[in-house]
Amino acid sequence: MPELPEVETVRRGLETLVAGTRIDAVEIRRDSCVRLLSGGPAEFSAQVTGLTLSRLVRRGKFLWAELAPTAGDDAPVLALSAHLGMSGQFRVHADAPEPHRHCRARFTLAAPDASALTLDFLDQRTFGYLHVEPLVPTPDGGPGGRGTPLPLLPASVAHIGRDALDPGLDRTAATRALRRGTRGIKQVLLDQTVVSGIGNIYADEALWLARVHPERPAHALTASSARTLLEAAREVMERALAQGGTSFDALYVDVNGESGYFSRSLEAYGRAGEPCSRCGSPLRRESIGGRSTHWCARCQRRWTARRAGPGS
DNA sequence: ACATCTGCCTGAGCGC
DNA sequence: TGCGCTCAGGCAGATG
């Protein structure tokens, strides 16, 4: 599942390969991939055709291209936004191969040197989507996300919080938000309006690293453990990004390739029954809030023990 | 305002 | 072998 590090890897790939290209044609191969648009595929194609992909930007797991009238133009008029959902991928080809079975949309792009490129949006499980929409001012006045200096973001992303790797994240406010409410802390971590970019895998990893039980009520976190948790989320995603960025080949932008998953060193996710690398106790797995959740019952206590004592 | 539930989907992996 | 079942997951929008 593409979470922040995977989406950032895709953003960088697209930045390298398609920034500055012009959209010459769009072929929507599955209508529902543009489901946010009332006019459907026809309106989508009409709005983006002829525009140039200027900057590639990401906030959390949301990705967009600023669309400018001409190459080199700094003033975008629209955003072409994308969410990869669970299985979305972008692939860039120097030619126009037979579309993959899961290809939902195909863009024909013209590079500045007039050569043609093919950009495919693939999505096996179809939870991802493409959208064309206006850019609106960011609520805090800072840059929209990684990849742009402009304080603009797509309207549908305006409610999404800054992510754990964003230098513009207000860490004090985020820490406070992580300690609010009765929900289990894992659910709060997955809430993209608080801190964005964290999905099921990195939520488990961050909780493991910070030694916090996934079901601890948010309000029961100390300020110190909330800070530790936020820092843990940043650290695991930074580490994954450093790995995800390496397996990159020029004309193939891989989102959720198996290699990315296997090369990643996960401590908790998917390791039920295996020993915790800190304490050796077997890791547990349970469905919490409909999400498979992995944790170490010894290192990650449901409540912070006030002091050492029997039974806690 | 906050929390929970439902719908959107496909394909892998399972038991029978 | 093949059928039907469950599961996996993020997000928006509705409902409590």
Side-chain angles (χ1 to χ4, degrees):
Chain A
M1 283 54 64
E3 300 181 30
L4 187 155
E6 292 76 26
V7 181
E8 174 60 15
T9 301
V10 172
R11 188 197 68 79
R12 292 177 184 181
L14 292 175
E15 185 173 64
T16 305
L17 297 170
V18 305
T21 64
R22 186 187 67 227
I23 300 171
D24 272 1
V26 184
E27 180 195 357
I28 300 299
R29 302 173 54 84
R30 184 193 167 94
D31 286 3
S32 65
C33 85
V34 292
R35 61 171 173 252
L36 292 181
L37 204 57
S38 57
E43 187 184 347
F44 178 87
S45 303
Q47 288 205 45
V48 303
T49 302
L51 296 176
T52 293
L53 303 163
S54 50
R55 297 189 192 85
L56 278 298
V57 192
R58 178 195 56 77
R59 171 182 292 219
K61 302 176 224 176
F62 290 76
L63 188 62
W64 67 92
E66 293 175 353
L67 295 176
T70 56
D73 195 326
D74 228 25
V77 290
L78 283 173
L80 170 53
S81 52
H83 198 291
L84 301 176
M86 295 179 53
S87 54
Q89 299 183 20
F90 281 105
R91 290 190 189 177
V92 180
H93 306 277
D95 54 358
E98 189 60 29
H100 187 279
R101 187 153 66 100
H102 298 138
C103 179
R104 309 307 186 196
R106 167 166 284 193
F107 298 82
T108 303
L109 306 173
D113 68 2
S115 65
L117 286 176
T118 300
L119 171 64
D120 283 344
F121 177 63
L122 276 57
D123 192 14
Q124 182 211 104
R125 284 154 93 170
T126 72
F127 277 20
Y129 59 80
L130 303 170
H131 192 196
V132 57
E133 56 184 327
L135 286 154
V136 301
T138 53
D140 61 9
R146 170 102 49 124
T148 188
L150 303 179
L152 298 172
L153 80 180
S156 71
V157 186
H159 66 291
I160 298 298
R162 292 190 178 276
D163 60 65
L165 301 193
D166 188 331
L169 175 70
D170 182 340
R171 311 188 83 77
T172 309
T175 302
R176 210 183 307 127
L178 284 176
R179 302 177 61 205
R180 199 155 47 217
T182 57
R183 288 184 295 174
I185 184 61
K186 177 169 178 179
Q187 280 176 278
V188 180
L189 277 182
L190 294 173
D191 183 340
Q192 305 296 303
T193 66
V194 176
V195 176
S196 67
I198 303 168
N200 199 44
I201 296 172
Y202 294 113
D204 283 2
E205 293 300 304
L207 288 163
W208 180 88
L209 190 58
R211 304 182 194 231
V212 175
H213 192 287
E215 288 183 296
R216 190 184 299 175
H219 64 76
L221 257 76
T222 62
S224 157
S225 56
R227 275 193 298 271
T228 303
L229 184 55
L230 187 58
E231 177 56 22
R234 191 200 59 74
E235 190 177 327
V236 294
M237 293 197 292
E238 195 82 74
R239 230 187 276 146
L241 178 57
Q243 288 182 23
T246 55
S247 62
F248 211 84
D249 128 14
L251 287 184
Y252 176 72
V253 184
D254 186 48
V255 180
N256 61 350
E258 306 299 328
S259 62
Y261 264 35
F262 293 145
S263 67
R264 203 182 288 154
S265 40
L266 298 176
E267 293 283 2
Y269 187 87
R271 295 193 53 205
E274 293 178 42
C276 167
S277 74
R278 269 190 311 238
C279 75
S281 156
L283 293 161
R284 295 187 53 181
R285 177 188 176 279
E286 229 175 83
S287 181
I288 295 175
R291 300 280 153 69
S292 98
T293 299
H294 312 71
W295 78 100
C296 172
R298 188 187 289 178
C299 295
Q300 297 167 258
R301 295 303 172 99
R302 193 171 302 248
W303 301 94
T304 307
R306 291 201 177 86
R307 59 179 62 93
S312 125

